[in-house]
Amino acid sequence: MRSIVHLAAPLALAAALAAPVAVTAGADAEPQPPADGELATVVKVIDGDTIRVELENGEVERVRYIGIDTPELANDERGAEPFGPRAAAANAGFVEDQQVLLEADISDRDRFDRLLRYVWVDTEDGPVMVNERLVALGLADVKAYEPDTRHHEFLLESLEQARFTGRGMH
């Protein structure tokens, strides 16, 4: 397990994921990890926007990324949606077996009892919000789930750039 402070980016995937993404002129300042975030260790990547973590108190929780929606993986009733496996693989490349910082917004949980969080991981280039990076790679859409919209404009800027450059599913 690598710590959030000493995390080395995994090979080429993480290099691509951590690469800076240009945003439009006049954009708000890029968010930074919160000082009051909660540390957790990722024990399983469920799909592109959901993980299972072990909190510092030993509890294991499912975490749903705030503000984004990724294509689904296959289940018994249907096949995988286009880009679903790629989104899950990118998410795993970022957070699998990593220590992450969880940032809450307004709501604590969704209707499926998952924690709702922005997820931060440290890379060689500094802290990265995984929610945003999946959008920047074109592997997630931005969704405003009121009242949890603290970083909505930042996510929209990344979506606009992904569309402009033709990344991923955009």
Side-chain angles (χ1 to χ4, degrees):
M1 171 183 11
R2 291 173 263 175
S3 78
I4 192 144
V5 175
H6 303 300
L7 179 69
L11 303 173
L13 176 61
L17 295 173
V21 175
V23 294
T24 58
D28 292 333
E30 189 169 319
Q32 296 299 311
D36 62 347
E38 184 174 15
L39 288 175
T41 301
V42 177
V43 295
K44 182 176 182 177
V45 173
I46 297 172
D47 59 21
D49 54 26
T50 309
I51 55 178
R52 189 177 307 276
V53 300
E54 182 176 345
L55 302 174
E56 288 187 308
N57 65 8
E59 290 182 36
V60 175
E61 293 274 2
R62 289 180 305 150
V63 176
R64 174 67 164 80
Y65 293 9
I66 297 173
I68 69 168
D69 189 35
T70 61
E72 298 300 323
L73 294 175
N75 65 26
D76 293 339
E77 299 163 11
R78 56 175 158 58
E81 293 177 355
F83 290 93
R86 285 182 58 190
N91 190 21
F94 249 138
V95 302
E96 192 167 52
D97 299 322
Q98 303 300 315
Q99 189 174 56
V100 296
L101 185 69
L102 304 176
E103 177 184 0
D105 203 325
I106 303 298
S107 305
D108 189 51
R109 294 183 182 270
D110 67 6
R111 63 187 175 122
F112 301 108
D113 201 36
R114 300 175 293 193
L115 292 175
L116 296 170
R117 300 291 187 267
Y118 300 100
V119 177
W120 294 84
V121 66
D122 207 5
T123 70
E124 292 173 346
D125 296 324
V128 170
M129 182 197 296
V130 180
N131 315 46
E132 181 274 335
R133 197 47 44 131
L134 291 167
V135 172
L137 291 170
L139 299 173
D141 280 321
V142 175
K143 302 284 184 178
Y145 297 105
E146 295 289 344
D148 303 298
T149 57
R150 175 180 303 140
H151 298 304
H152 184 69
E153 291 302 316
F154 178 63
L155 294 171
L156 283 176
E157 291 166 359
S158 292
L159 179 62
E160 180 180 316
Q161 188 66 26
R163 286 182 175 155
F164 179 75
T165 58
R167 287 193 187 123
M169 60 187 183
H170 303 295

